[in-house]
Amino acid sequence: MCTTSLSVSGRADQSSAWVAGKANDPRALEYAEKANQLSPDQPAILDTLGTLLVEHGDANRGLDMLRKATQLAPNAPAIRLNLARALVKAGQRDAAKKELDELAKLGDKFRDQAEVARLTVQLEEKNRELEMKKRLAALGEMAAGIAHEIRNPLGCIQLFAGSLLAEVSDRPAAADLVRKIASGVKGLDALVRDMLAFTRDLQLVKTEEDLHEIVIEALELAAKSKDVAIGRG
């Protein structure tokens, strides 16, 4: 947080706010608000207040304060860095990139280039995460459409297979083929259900369960393919 010349009372409250903020003191925001009242339009105070507001969840007002501080002190890179940091946190990616690019141009003239580089990497990671979310959302929509298109003919095939099985029940070889068709359709239908489940917005519901019963059921399921008996004690 930057410092500039301001009134003695405002400087004291701004310093108190800065120290309290570093110590996670809940009074930090109160000190900063008081300092801003005593010495309005001071870049250092606006910087401190804006940063604290963003940290306390009031991103809109905090960003307004930080932007104003940057306008009042355009040659104070420390304030611009706090604005960039707040923009990254608020998800305003384009604005954050613009501020970080301006800071990067300063090179060795700004000693905190390591933080600029860290925030730039963080911003790039957020961009990649957002792009991945968009792709997954598009994939989910496509999967849902495909699933619905496949499910309708599968139902018809299953219906016809049932009718055909009744007609060829006296011919074992033909009946076996029809059963294989029906089994394949069931497998595809299960796959379609999984695709539809993937596209739904699932919510976690917590319930109390008997862990012993869950373990036993899992072991019994695994043992079916190995002809192993699970004893209940």
Side-chain angles (χ1 to χ4, degrees):
M1 299 174 188
C2 184
T3 58
T4 60
S5 60
L6 45 135
S7 70
V8 175
S9 297
R11 184 186 300 113
D13 284 310
Q14 190 260 348
S15 298
S16 297
W18 188 88
V19 172
K22 288 291 184 181
N24 294 321
D25 189 328
R27 294 173 296 177
L29 185 57
E30 177 186 343
Y31 293 148
E33 293 279 16
K34 184 178 178 181
N36 189 46
Q37 291 174 0
L38 293 171
S39 300
D41 296 335
Q42 292 293 331
I45 293 177
L46 292 170
D47 172 49
T48 301
L49 178 57
T51 300
L52 289 170
L53 284 167
V54 172
E55 291 176 355
H56 283 74
D58 193 350
N60 290 335
R61 185 167 174 241
L63 287 171
D64 287 343
M65 296 289 180
L66 287 166
R67 288 191 179 98
K68 187 174 182 179
T70 303
Q71 292 170 358
L72 292 170
N75 296 320
I79 294 179
R80 190 175 296 276
L81 178 61
N82 283 334
L83 173 59
R85 187 184 290 113
L87 288 166
V88 171
K89 185 173 182 179
Q92 298 187 22
R93 297 173 293 119
D94 292 340
K97 186 178 186 306
K98 181 180 178 181
E99 299 298 337
L100 290 171
D101 287 346
E102 290 297 320
L103 289 168
K105 291 177 183 178
L106 296 176
D108 295 338
K109 295 179 181 178
F110 181 44
R111 63 183 180 180
D112 211 353
Q113 287 294 340
E115 177 65 5
V116 174
R118 187 191 71 80
L119 287 171
T120 300
V121 171
Q122 182 180 340
L123 183 62
E124 290 173 350
E125 290 175 350
K126 286 181 177 292
N127 287 338
R128 284 194 293 269
E129 290 175 1
L130 183 60
E131 185 63 27
M132 181 60 69
K133 287 180 180 178
K134 289 181 179 178
R135 291 184 180 182
L136 287 174
L139 178 61
E141 291 179 4
M142 183 178 67
I146 293 173
H148 283 297
E149 290 296 324
I150 292 175
R151 205 167 197 183
N152 290 332
L154 280 180
C156 293
I157 295 172
Q158 186 71 37
L159 180 63
F160 294 149
S163 300
L164 184 59
L165 182 60
E167 292 183 12
V168 299
S169 59
D170 57 338
R171 287 176 280 171
D176 185 55
L177 287 175
V178 175
R179 290 190 187 93
K180 288 180 179 179
I181 293 173
S183 177
V185 170
K186 286 182 179 179
L188 287 173
D189 189 61
L191 179 61
V192 169
R193 286 199 304 271
D194 290 342
M195 290 176 66
L196 289 172
F198 172 75
T199 63
R200 295 192 188 103
D201 185 15
L202 300 179
Q203 294 183 349
L204 181 64
V205 178
K206 295 182 180 180
T207 59
E208 292 187 3
E209 299 290 344
D210 186 340
L211 183 59
H212 180 265
E213 286 297 321
I214 293 174
V215 172
I216 291 296
E217 289 178 7
L219 290 173
E220 288 178 343
L221 183 62
K224 286 181 179 179
S225 61
K226 296 184 179 180
D227 195 24
V228 177
I230 305 297
R232 290 175 176 265

